[in-house]
Amino acid sequence: KKITAALDQPLPAGVVLEVTLAAPSGASGHDYVALTITGADLVTGISATSAGALPLTYRLSATPRASVGIQTRTVTYTIVSGT
Protein backbone atom coordinates (compact mmCIF):
# COMPACT_ATOMS: atom_id res chain seq x y z
CA LYS A 1 0.00 0.00 0.00
CA LYS A 2 0.97 3.63 -0.35
CA ILE A 3 -0.26 7.07 0.63
CA THR A 4 -0.55 9.78 -2.01
CA ALA A 5 -1.53 13.45 -1.80
CA ALA A 6 -2.87 15.94 -4.35
CA LEU A 7 -4.19 19.51 -4.44
CA ASP A 8 -7.72 20.32 -5.59
CA GLN A 9 -6.47 23.12 -7.86
CA PRO A 10 -3.10 24.47 -9.02
CA LEU A 11 -1.15 26.99 -6.97
CA PRO A 12 -0.30 30.41 -8.41
CA ALA A 13 2.93 30.74 -10.38
CA GLY A 14 5.92 31.02 -8.05
CA VAL A 15 4.22 29.28 -5.11
CA VAL A 16 5.15 25.79 -3.93
CA LEU A 17 3.45 23.77 -1.19
CA GLU A 18 5.42 20.77 0.01
CA VAL A 19 4.55 18.05 2.49
CA THR A 20 6.36 15.25 4.26
CA LEU A 21 4.69 12.40 6.12
CA ALA A 22 6.60 10.11 8.48
CA ALA A 23 6.40 6.47 7.45
CA PRO A 24 5.33 3.69 9.80
CA SER A 25 7.83 0.96 10.59
CA GLY A 26 8.76 -1.07 7.50
CA ALA A 27 7.55 1.53 4.98
CA SER A 28 9.46 4.18 3.04
CA GLY A 29 8.79 7.87 3.48
CA HIS A 30 9.98 10.61 1.16
CA ASP A 31 11.52 13.96 2.00
CA TYR A 32 9.41 17.01 1.19
CA VAL A 33 7.26 16.39 -1.90
CA ALA A 34 5.85 19.30 -3.92
CA LEU A 35 2.08 19.00 -4.18
CA THR A 36 0.26 19.40 -7.49
CA ILE A 37 -3.15 18.37 -8.82
CA THR A 38 -1.58 15.01 -9.74
CA GLY A 39 -1.18 12.57 -6.86
CA ALA A 40 2.35 12.29 -5.46
CA ASP A 41 3.66 9.38 -3.40
CA LEU A 42 4.37 10.32 0.21
CA VAL A 43 4.78 6.87 1.79
CA THR A 44 5.27 3.57 -0.05
CA GLY A 45 5.70 -0.07 0.93
CA ILE A 46 3.11 -0.05 3.72
CA SER A 47 2.29 -3.52 4.99
CA ALA A 48 -0.33 -4.49 7.54
CA THR A 49 0.49 -2.21 10.43
CA SER A 50 -0.97 -0.10 13.15
CA ALA A 51 0.65 3.27 13.77
CA GLY A 52 -0.48 6.61 15.03
CA ALA A 53 0.72 10.11 15.78
CA LEU A 54 3.13 10.11 12.83
CA PRO A 55 4.23 13.66 11.96
CA LEU A 56 2.82 15.45 8.92
CA THR A 57 4.61 18.69 8.03
CA TYR A 58 3.86 21.33 5.40
CA ARG A 59 6.28 23.87 3.90
CA LEU A 60 5.09 26.79 1.76
CA SER A 61 7.44 28.93 -0.30
CA ALA A 62 6.88 31.75 -2.75
CA THR A 63 9.10 33.85 -4.95
CA PRO A 64 9.09 37.61 -4.32
CA ARG A 65 7.10 38.13 -7.54
CA ALA A 66 4.42 35.55 -6.77
CA SER A 67 0.98 37.09 -6.97
CA VAL A 68 -0.86 35.75 -3.95
CA GLY A 69 -3.69 36.95 -1.82
CA ILE A 70 -5.84 35.02 0.59
CA GLN A 71 -6.41 31.65 -1.01
CA THR A 72 -7.32 28.15 0.09
CA ARG A 73 -6.47 24.75 -1.27
CA THR A 74 -7.66 21.31 -0.25
CA VAL A 75 -5.13 18.50 0.06
CA THR A 76 -6.58 15.04 -0.50
CA TYR A 77 -4.74 12.05 0.95
CA THR A 78 -5.42 8.62 -0.53
CA ILE A 79 -4.42 5.17 0.66
CA VAL A 80 -3.79 3.02 -2.41
CA SER A 81 -3.88 -0.77 -2.09
CA GLY A 82 -1.80 -3.22 -4.04
CA THR A 83 1.29 -1.12 -4.70
Side-chain angles (χ1 to χ4, degrees), residues 10-79:
L11 293 167
V15 178
V16 177
L17 177 62
E18 299 171 298
V19 65
T20 185
L21 173 62
S25 179
S28 299
H30 301 278
D31 200 11
Y32 281 94
V33 175
L35 296 176
T36 66
I37 58 172
T38 304
D41 291 352
L42 300 181
V43 178
T44 56
I46 302 171
S47 60
T49 185
S50 176
L54 297 172
L56 170 71
T57 306
Y58 290 98
R59 180 168 63 189
L60 179 72
S61 59
T63 63
R65 294 180 187 240
S67 177
V68 295
I70 297 174
Q71 298 185 18
T72 60
R73 296 294 185 274
T74 300
V75 180
T76 301
Y77 293 89
T78 305
I79 299 172

